[in-house]
Amino acid sequence: MKKFIITSQHLFGTPKLRVDHFLSLILNESKNQVNLAIKKGLVSINSKPCTKSGVLLKEGDEIILKEAQKTQIAEREEYLGEIEVLYEDEDVLVLNKPPHLVVHSAPSVKEATLVDYLKSRGFKLSNLAGEERYGIIHRLDKPTSGAIAVAKSNQAHIALSEQLKQKTMGRYYLAITDLPLREKLEVECNMGRNPNNRLKMAKLKNGRYSKSSFAPLLEGEKASLCVAKLHTGRTHQIRLHLETLSRHILGDELYGKKDTSSLRLMLHAYLMYFIHPISKKLVFIQAPLFEDMIGFLNQNFLAEDIDEVLSQKHILDCFGDNL
């Protein structure tokens, strides 16, 4: 906790001193960072919570800045350990995001995020998306693991964001489902927030267009493995599209059934490709599976079958892609 008392010297030549301006100067932090602290309830004036960055200060005001969030982030990082770097150069960083990690902060997010991790490790990243989405081009749901690209320069951020729109940046996900897919198929629909459950998405006439392609990989007695190719990147897209096919990802208690095995969402961003924003060369990334998914696959399928279907060539052949 830090405490500051406003004196006449602070107000000298500045009859209207805002709290965000004062904290930005005295802490040597950006106003965005200060405003974020205010939004999260970390600032109080005269023992009362400060909710607005434009509050004017007067002589004798006592400002308290809490630092509980930093402690929380440190504890969370200790739990996370290091995150595997799959690719890095001066412009682009690709990480293998572990499950149970939120990508960036939001009003409902209390724990540390991938963005917090990046800041704490000193990565110099794009600032086009602001402090809260530091370098983030696209996101993965909290329980989803796998490849996530981060822009290290503003030029890369602009280029990769455009590639997402133009579909020259592609992603393939592995999903372990309750029921098998019998054939390759596509799902297209307009989707948006479910009016009856704000945690879920639903097919809506006035929603945003979405499209996924699916192909079966392995079929077992207890579960099956499929691959999904994204053509758009909507929130919960794969989960909703599988639901329209009466299939559900294991561990998905939001769209599927309550899972007594305590599995996390068995969804992994396995392959990613993009055109490098500077060299213009094709970059192809494969994100290794985490131990929980590897263990489940080994318990339910033959090792030689797993190796065959998880090869990059086999995944691309499923969709007739030649990259």
Side-chain angles (χ1 to χ4, degrees):
M1 183 177 71
K2 294 182 179 179
K3 182 168 67 175
F4 309 98
I5 304 295
I6 301 300
T7 68
S8 58
Q9 290 182 331
H10 293 130
L11 299 172
F12 182 76
T14 310
K16 294 184 178 180
L17 179 61
R18 291 166 48 121
V19 63
D20 59 344
H21 182 63
F22 170 75
L23 288 175
S24 177
L25 289 175
I26 202 164
L27 297 172
N28 194 27
E29 293 278 3
S30 69
K31 279 192 177 180
N32 284 337
Q33 197 72 10
V34 170
N35 289 336
L36 181 61
I38 292 173
K39 287 180 181 179
K40 293 189 175 182
L42 301 179
V43 178
S44 63
I45 302 176
N46 299 328
S47 300
K48 295 182 180 180
C50 175
T51 58
K52 296 181 179 179
S53 58
V55 173
L56 297 179
L57 301 173
K58 60 183 183 297
E59 187 175 352
D61 280 345
E62 179 186 76
I63 301 172
I64 292 178
L65 174 64
K66 298 178 183 178
E67 297 182 285
Q69 187 187 30
K70 293 183 179 179
T71 302
Q72 184 184 52
I73 290 172
E75 291 173 351
R76 180 65 178 167
E77 284 171 357
E78 184 178 349
Y79 165 73
L80 282 173
E82 292 298 318
I83 297 177
E84 182 182 10
V85 175
L86 301 174
Y87 177 90
E88 183 180 12
D89 60 25
E90 293 182 355
D91 300 283
V92 182
L93 172 70
V94 182
L95 299 173
N96 195 9
K97 186 187 91 67
H100 313 302
L101 176 63
V102 178
V103 172
H104 59 74
S105 63
S108 60
V109 175
K110 304 303 180 185
E111 70 264 39
T113 65
L114 178 65
V115 169
D116 293 321
Y117 173 88
L118 292 168
K119 288 179 179 179
S120 71
R121 294 306 189 273
F123 286 102
K124 302 298 182 184
L125 303 179
S126 162
N127 58 12
L128 286 182
E131 293 283 345
E132 292 189 14
R133 302 193 181 192
Y134 186 54
I136 300 301
I137 303 162
H138 65 103
R139 59 184 293 275
L140 297 175
D141 291 337
K142 178 180 178 179
T144 303
S145 58
I148 183 167
V150 184
K152 294 183 69 176
S153 68
N154 288 350
Q155 182 178 359
H157 198 131
I158 293 170
L160 293 176
S161 296
E162 186 61 26
Q163 286 187 41
L164 278 175
K165 293 178 183 178
Q166 300 300 326
K167 313 299 185 295
T168 52
M169 181 179 187
R171 290 161 290 166
Y172 300 83
Y173 287 67
L174 296 175
I176 301 176
T177 60
D178 50 2
L179 298 173
L181 295 174
R182 299 303 182 188
E183 59 185 354
K184 176 188 171 184
L185 43 79
E186 291 184 345
V187 176
E188 295 180 80
C189 67
N190 291 339
M191 57 183 289
R193 191 67 60 180
N194 189 319
N196 300 316
N197 184 344
R198 302 300 292 174
L199 296 177
K200 298 178 64 174
M201 307 300 282
K203 293 174 63 176
L204 299 174
K205 288 184 178 180
N206 60 346
R208 301 177 69 187
Y209 174 74
S210 63
K211 179 181 178 181
S212 303
S213 296
F214 296 93
L217 293 178
L218 293 172
E219 182 177 341
E221 295 182 3
K222 297 181 179 180
S224 297
L225 179 68
C226 71
V227 58
K229 176 183 177 181
L230 292 188
H231 300 276
T232 57
R234 310 302 179 206
T235 300
H236 295 182
Q237 178 175 313
I238 294 174
R239 300 161 75 178
L240 176 65
H241 284 183
L242 283 172
E243 184 179 55
T244 67
L245 301 173
S246 299
R247 269 68 177 169
H248 299 94
I249 302 173
L250 295 190
D252 191 352
E253 296 187 356
L254 185 60
Y255 289 86
K257 300 177 181 178
K258 291 290 184 181
D259 197 328
T260 56
S261 63
S262 299
L263 292 174
R264 58 100 169 180
L265 182 73
M266 293 282 102
L267 181 64
H268 182 79
Y270 186 54
L271 297 177
M272 171 189 290
Y273 65 87
F274 55 87
I275 306 300
H276 194 279
I278 307 302
S279 70
K280 307 304 179 185
K281 294 181 180 180
L282 177 67
V283 178
F284 217 109
I285 307 293
Q286 180 171 315
L289 295 176
F290 286 87
E291 290 184 4
D292 55 353
M293 287 191 74
I294 293 174
F296 188 92
L297 291 176
N298 287 335
Q299 288 175 7
N300 291 274
F301 305 100
L302 296 176
E304 55 267 32
D305 293 338
I306 297 171
D307 291 340
E308 179 183 353
V309 301
L310 292 189
S311 72
Q312 180 176 308
K313 182 180 184 303
H314 185 85
I315 297 292
L316 295 180
D317 286 345
C318 286
F319 304 100
D321 293 341
N322 183 21
L323 298 172

